[in-house]
């Protein structure tokens, strides 16, 4: 009998927060019980609770309690990586992968942290089984561990991290008009991404987790902007797989997400996912989202992602929360108020019992309002073309260990105009832009900064549209055409690897 012959259910839980009844904010916190959240006054000024009190409460809560998986619909297997491997192969044994040992970057002369120098289309052409064996070979393991924790970079890891956004829909299996297996293909890329340096985590942000508007629910091609999301409609069919079964045992969509996170954690990465904040870019079960009525549903969607193993959330349009700097707002629909967003971030940490989460705010500046809101990271701050400018901003931010704004190599609005050399210069300046490594700023980049995508597309276009690059409707042709296959692109990839290697053991 294999060890998946019986299912184990996962217990649910309700969080009850008890505080001094004399606290002026007690009525707010006592309403955290899920039965009462529908009556929650979204205008109540949560900022009456001091930031120090919130953090003290969270720290004590997180030390006492461990996270409990409780999301609705989870298949409940406590070892989703083992289950996935067994469904893929019919066996439990892991073998050393010679393919991996023959393709180590710099012939493996990178210390104990290793990765492969392989073109991304070649990595995507391998089977999921081969990718998993590569991951185990790189980690010197001939087995899949029973428990895979997230890498420990301390509770404040997000303030210094290197964020790499990956578009799982773009790298998914595009075949005969259908788009699927984005998570399996993201797992295939894990062996060719440099693992986290000693001093700061590399965090992989998925552009998509939940379904977007239009045809995404059916997993077909279409407009399907990733700046939109349909909440509480399961995991995007672009990411999941229709045929992951063996002996009537099915790999649940939620288990597949958890398996991706476990494999990423095994490789030393932190992980995260993107969430929009503009009401006009969200629906709830297909109806238009309303911040006054649907706040708790948004919180639940964020918590569900965290319970699936993610360590961070990237909030699109976060700079404009509270109707701030609306002259530069490019979103559609209302945003949460400042007090609302402060409450939302507090409740996500509280409900998941995780005080080590990183919340990233798009375009958020060093203004203290963003730290008070509960964010850890702001993006696109500082001149990435000038290392002295990055060092200057690093020095200015060194007093804050909870929040910092950092520069970008590129973002989701990248139209592909930068040269490879410009991207490498920006990466070098950002990774080494500090006087003291303890003051390093967070930095943000896209998949194309490491693995150049085809000249026929760009990051923003791939965020807005789901397009197949297959010449004959087959998956292999899509893999070959979605990435730039030139020698200069592969040379750039290896030059980026060299930059990461220089920072690996600092």
């Amino acid at each position: 009998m294999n060890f998946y012959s019986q299912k184990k259910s996962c217990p649910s839980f309700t969080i009850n927060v008890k505080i001094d009844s004399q606290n002026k904010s007690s009525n707010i916190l006592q309403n955290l019980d899920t039965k009462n959240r529908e009556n929650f006054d979204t205008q109540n000024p949560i900022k009456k609770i001091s930031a120090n009190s919130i953090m003290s409460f969270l720290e004590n809560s997180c030390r006492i309690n461990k996270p409990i998986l409780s999301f609705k619909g989870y298949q409940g297997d406590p070892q989703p990586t083992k289950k996935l491997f067994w469904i893929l192969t019919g066996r439990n044994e892991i073998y050393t992968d010679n393919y991996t040992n023959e393709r180590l970057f710099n012939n493996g002369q990178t210390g104990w942290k290793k990765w492969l120098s392989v073109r991304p289309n070649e990595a995507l052409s391998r089977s999921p089984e081969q990718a998993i064996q590569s991951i185990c070979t790189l980690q010197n393991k001939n087995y899949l561990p029973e428990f895979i924790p997230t890498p420990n970079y301390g509770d404040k890891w997000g303030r210094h991290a290197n964020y790499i956004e990956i578009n799982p829909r773009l790298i998914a299996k595009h075949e005969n008009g259908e788009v699927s297996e984005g998570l399996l293909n993201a797992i295939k890329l894990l062996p060719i991404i440099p693992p986290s340096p000693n001093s700061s985590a590399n965090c992989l942000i998925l552009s998509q987790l939940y379904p977007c508007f239009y045809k995404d629910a059916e997993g077909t091609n279409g407009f399907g902007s990733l700046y939109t999301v349909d909440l509480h409609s399961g995991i995007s069919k672009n990411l999941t797989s229709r045929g992951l079964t063996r002996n009537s045992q099915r790999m649940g969509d939620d288990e597949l997400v958890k398996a991706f996170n476990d494999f990423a954690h095994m490789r030393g990465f932190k992980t995260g996912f993107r969430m929009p904040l503009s009401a006009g870019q969200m629906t709830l079960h297909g109806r238009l989202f309303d911040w006054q009525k649907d706040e708790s549903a948004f919180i639940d969607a964020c918590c569900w992602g965290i319970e699936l193993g993610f360590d961070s959330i990237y909030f699109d349009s976060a700079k404009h929360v509270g109707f701030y700097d609306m002259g530069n707002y490019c979103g559609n629909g209302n945003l949460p108020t400042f007090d609302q967003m402060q409450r939302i971030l507090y409740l996500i940490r509280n409900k998941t019992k995780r005080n080590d989460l990183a919340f990233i705010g798009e375009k958020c500046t060093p203004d203290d309002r963003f730290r008070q809101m509960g964010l850890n990271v702001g993006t696109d701050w500082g001149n990435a073309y000038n290392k002295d400018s990055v060092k200057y901003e690093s020095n200015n931010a060194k007093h804050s260990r909870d929040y910092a704004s950092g520069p970008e190599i590129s973002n989701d609005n990248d139209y592909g105009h930068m040269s490879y050399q410009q991207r490498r210069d920006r990466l070098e300046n950002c990774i080494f832009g500090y006087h003291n490594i303890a003051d390093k700023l967070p930095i943000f980049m896209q998949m194309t900064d490491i693995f150049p995508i085809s000249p026929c597309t760009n990051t923003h276009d791939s965020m807005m549209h789901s397009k197949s690059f297959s010449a004959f409707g087959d998956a292999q042709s899509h893999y070959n055409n979605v990435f730039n296959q030139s020698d200069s692109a592969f040379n750039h990839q290896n030059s980026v690897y060299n930059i990461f290697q220089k920072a690996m053991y600092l």
Side-chain angles (χ1 to χ4, degrees):
M1 179 182 294
N2 69 75
F3 49 70
Y4 296 115
S5 59
Q6 294 183 353
K7 288 290 174 190
K8 297 182 180 180
S9 61
C10 226
S12 61
F13 72 101
T14 300
I15 297 175
N16 294 308
V17 180
K18 296 181 179 180
I19 61 174
D20 187 346
S21 61
Q22 300 301 313
N23 190 313
K24 294 181 180 179
S25 300
S26 62
N27 289 334
I28 298 173
L29 293 181
Q30 287 168 354
N31 280 333
L32 296 186
D33 187 279
T34 55
K35 295 180 181 179
N36 298 323
R37 279 178 303 164
E38 57 188 346
N39 299 319
F40 202 175
D41 180 3
T42 56
Q43 298 303 314
N44 217 326
I46 192 90
K47 63 183 177 184
K48 288 181 180 178
I49 305 175
S50 71
N52 288 338
S53 297
I54 290 175
M55 296 311 295
S56 176
F57 175 85
L58 288 173
E59 286 171 1
N60 290 333
S61 175
C62 292
R63 289 191 184 101
I64 295 171
N65 301 291
K66 293 182 179 180
I68 302 175
L69 296 175
S70 64
F71 29 80
K72 182 179 179 181
Y74 181 59
Q75 295 278 20
D77 200 291
Q79 300 178 46
T81 54
K82 287 188 174 182
K83 179 177 180 180
L84 174 61
F85 188 74
W86 181 78
I87 287 177
L88 289 169
T89 67
R91 68 175 199 273
N92 303 321
E93 298 81 16
I94 299 287
Y95 303 113
T96 299
D97 186 51
N98 291 330
Y99 174 97
T100 299
N101 289 329
E102 292 168 359
R103 289 165 176 79
L104 295 172
F105 172 69
N106 202 10
N107 295 317
Q109 303 304 306
T110 57
W112 62 276
K113 299 185 179 187
K114 303 184 188 303
W115 64 98
L116 305 187
S117 177
V118 172
R119 294 176 186 267
N121 66 307
E122 181 178 337
L124 294 177
S125 301
R126 303 183 75 209
S127 69
E129 170 195 356
Q130 291 170 326
I132 292 171
Q133 296 208 153
S134 280
I135 291 170
C136 292
T137 300
L138 288 168
Q139 304 308 124
N140 292 319
K141 294 184 183 297
N142 59 359
Y143 63 95
L144 286 169
E146 293 185 3
F147 174 67
I148 304 173
T150 185
N152 185 5
Y153 281 84
D155 286 355
K156 311 299 183 184
W157 66 271
R159 186 252 183 254
H160 302 283
N162 307 312
Y163 296 94
I164 306 168
E165 187 166 20
I166 294 175
N167 187 330
R169 183 178 68 179
L170 183 64
I171 63 173
K173 179 182 178 181
H174 289 245
E175 190 170 52
N176 299 324
E178 294 188 346
V179 185
S180 63
E181 301 192 4
L183 286 168
L184 286 180
N185 282 356
I187 290 172
K188 295 178 188 179
L189 289 187
L190 294 178
I192 68 171
I193 304 175
S196 299
N198 281 354
S199 57
S200 57
N202 285 348
C203 179
L204 307 180
I205 302 288
L206 296 187
S207 303
Q208 182 184 30
L209 178 61
Y210 301 130
C212 59
F213 290 2
Y214 306 114
K215 296 184 178 181
D216 181 20
E218 292 82 28
T220 56
N221 288 321
F223 179 78
S225 169
L226 298 188
Y227 299 111
T228 67
V229 62
D230 186 29
L231 301 175
H232 293 241
S233 296
I235 304 301
S236 169
K237 297 303 181 186
N238 293 333
L239 276 63
T240 55
S241 308
R242 294 166 176 77
L244 282 178
T245 60
R246 181 177 292 274
N247 294 352
S248 13
Q249 298 208 32
R250 181 178 70 88
M251 191 76 187
D253 291 351
D254 307 326
E255 288 175 318
L256 186 56
V257 177
K258 187 66 170 63
F260 163 77
N261 281 312
D262 279 354
F263 281 122
H265 292 158
M266 188 174 172
R267 283 287 292 137
F269 299 113
K270 293 288 191 178
T271 60
F273 61 101
R274 174 184 282 261
M275 284 288 281
L277 291 174
S278 302
Q281 295 166 214
M282 292 187 283
T283 52
L284 180 60
H285 294 304
R287 69 163 175 82
L288 195 61
F289 184 88
D290 185 326
W291 272 114
Q292 298 305 310
K293 296 188 299 183
D294 301 322
E295 177 187 305
S296 62
F298 182 85
I299 293 170
D300 287 344
C302 292
C303 291
W304 191 26
I306 297 302
E307 289 170 344
L308 288 169
F310 290 101
D311 307 292
S312 63
I313 305 176
Y314 175 93
F315 292 104
D316 203 9
S317 297
K319 178 181 181 178
H320 305 291
V321 164
F323 314 107
Y324 179 83
D325 190 26
M326 293 299 283
N328 292 310
Y329 177 54
C330 297
N332 180 25
N334 287 334
L335 294 158
T337 66
F338 180 91
D339 299 339
Q340 230 179 341
M341 193 67 183
Q342 194 178 47
R343 177 170 60 247
I344 287 167
L345 299 185
Y346 164 70
L347 288 173
I348 296 170
R349 289 186 172 106
N350 184 277
K351 287 189 64 178
T352 59
K353 293 184 172 72
R354 285 192 61 178
N355 197 33
D356 65 332
L357 299 177
F359 295 142
I360 307 108
E362 182 192 26
K363 304 289 185 181
C364 292
T365 69
D367 192 307
D368 198 56
R369 76 186 305 272
F370 299 111
R371 182 192 64 80
Q372 293 178 10
M373 192 185 295
L375 294 172
N376 306 101
V377 178
T379 68
D380 196 22
W381 184 259
N383 182 2
Y385 282 119
N386 187 326
K387 186 181 291 187
D388 289 336
S389 173
V390 179
K391 288 182 178 180
Y392 174 81
E393 298 298 342
S394 169
N395 191 59
N396 283 347
K398 68 180 181 181
H399 65 280
S400 173
R401 295 305 174 193
D402 298 323
Y403 173 85
S405 296
E408 294 177 336
I409 288 71
S410 71
N411 59 36
D412 54 286
N413 291 309
D414 180 8
Y415 290 95
H417 300 317
M418 275 191 288
S419 69
Y420 296 155
Q421 185 63 55
Q422 287 174 315
R423 293 180 190 276
R424 291 196 297 272
D425 289 345
R426 290 171 70 90
L427 179 63
E428 178 98 20
N429 293 339
C430 292
I431 284 188
F432 299 104
Y434 52 78
H435 295 288
N436 186 322
I437 195 169
D439 305 324
K440 176 189 169 296
L441 293 173
I443 65 175
F444 200 83
M445 70 191 80
Q446 296 291 316
M447 176 176 68
T448 191
D449 294 312
I450 304 177
F451 313 119
I453 57 178
S454 168
C456 299
T457 190
N458 56 65
T459 297
H460 185 68
D461 187 51
S462 64
M463 289 289 292
M464 291 292 292
H465 304 276
S466 178
K467 296 191 299 185
S468 173
F469 288 84
S470 174
F472 309 103
D474 63 309
Q476 185 59 54
S477 180
H478 174 78
Y479 301 151
N480 291 340
N481 292 329
V482 77
F483 290 101
N484 191 320
Q485 297 301 313
S486 68
D487 289 341
S488 59
F490 191 51
N491 290 337
H492 167 80
Q493 177 180 327
N494 283 289
S495 295
V496 168
Y497 286 168
N498 282 321
I499 296 173
F500 276 106
Q501 183 181 354
K502 286 195 295 183
M504 193 62 63
Y505 297 100
L506 296 179

